[in-house]
């Protein structure tokens, strides 16, 4: 078995959709990034790539590449899933946390889990997502951005 961790952060700005875990969340601001800036999905990808010793998302999907401009992060997650499958890895579980002062994530977590389970072909009990605030502290607490941290466990298929 192999463990991986992932972390991602993006700045909140006006004029962008807020996409987290593949779900569009109603909010007056969205996350700034080369892709759709889905912090949870990015952290999941980094954790999976790290567990398989395959580098990080910047290595595979650089923010300087035009083909990834405004790309749906779920498309990239499918590519990471394919990389794992090619190396005979299976995902055991994913545990993630979204750090945001607002909007409240809890109402959207069931939809995120459903989307991620479909993309990764996992059962609901293999993906856990939590959300927290930072009680007004730091860049997330001051509503400047949103971050996510993820841990994953993978294993070889036998």
């Amino acid at each position: 078995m192999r463990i991986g961790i992932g972390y991602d952060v993006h700045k909140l700005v006006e004029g962008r959709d807020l996409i987290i875990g593949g779900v569009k969340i109603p909010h007056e601001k969205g996350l700034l990034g080369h892709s759709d800036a889905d912090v949870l999905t990015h952290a999941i990808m980094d954790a999976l790539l790290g567990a398989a010793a395959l580098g990080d998302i910047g290595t595979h999907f650089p923010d300087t590449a035009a083909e990834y401009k405004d790309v749906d992060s779920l498309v990239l997650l499918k590519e990471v899933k394919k990389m794992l499958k090619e190396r005979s890895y299976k995902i055991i579980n994913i545990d993630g946390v979204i750090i945001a002062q607002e909007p409240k994530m809890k109402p959207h977590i069931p939809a995120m889990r459903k989307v991620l389970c479909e993309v990764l072909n996992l059962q609901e009990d293999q993906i856990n997502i939590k959300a927290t605030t930072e009680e007004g502290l730091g860049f997330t607490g001051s509503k400047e951005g949103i971050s996510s941290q993820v841990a994953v466990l993978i294993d070889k298929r036998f």
Side-chain angles (χ1 to χ4, degrees), residues 10-66:
H10 285 279
K11 181 179 179 177
L12 280 164
V13 296
E14 293 183 7
R16 296 265 302 187
D17 288 335
L18 180 58
I19 310 290
I20 300 181
V23 174
K24 184 177 176 181
I25 298 171
H27 193 56
E28 66 271 5
K29 292 183 177 181
L31 294 170
L32 180 63
H34 187 69
S35 67
D36 63 5
D38 181 338
V39 293
L40 177 60
T41 302
H42 290 184
I44 290 170
M45 289 189 291
D46 261 349
L48 292 169
L49 289 166
L54 294 173
D56 61 20
I57 60 174
T59 300
H60 297 279
F61 314 110
D63 63 5
T64 55

Side-chain angles (χ1 to χ4, degrees), residues 1-110:
M1 284 204 223
R2 300 174 69 114
I3 191 168
I5 59 169
Y7 173 77
D8 195 44
V9 59
H10 285 279
K11 181 179 179 177
L12 280 164
V13 296
E14 293 183 7
R16 296 265 302 187
D17 288 335
L18 180 58
I19 310 290
I20 300 181
V23 174
K24 184 177 176 181
I25 298 171
H27 193 56
E28 66 271 5
K29 292 183 177 181
L31 294 170
L32 180 63
H34 187 69
S35 67
D36 63 5
D38 181 338
V39 293
L40 177 60
T41 302
H42 290 184
I44 290 170
M45 289 189 291
D46 261 349
L48 292 169
L49 289 166
L54 294 173
D56 61 20
I57 60 174
T59 300
H60 297 279
F61 314 110
D63 63 5
T64 55
E67 65 263 34
Y68 302 125
K69 179 73 177 143
D70 297 322
V71 69
D72 180 339
S73 293
L74 296 177
V75 171
L76 305 180
L77 182 58
K78 289 177 187 175
E79 287 299 311
V80 170
K81 176 185 165 189
K82 182 178 169 185
M83 290 178 211
L84 293 177
K85 185 177 180 181
E86 288 169 352
R87 290 159 179 84
S88 300
Y89 285 113
K90 64 179 178 176
I91 300 169
I92 305 299
N93 76 301
I94 296 171
D95 186 29
V97 61
I98 304 160
I99 302 103
Q101 195 66 35
E102 64 179 40
K104 294 296 182 193
M105 296 293 149
K106 188 174 183 176
H108 308 286
I109 288 174

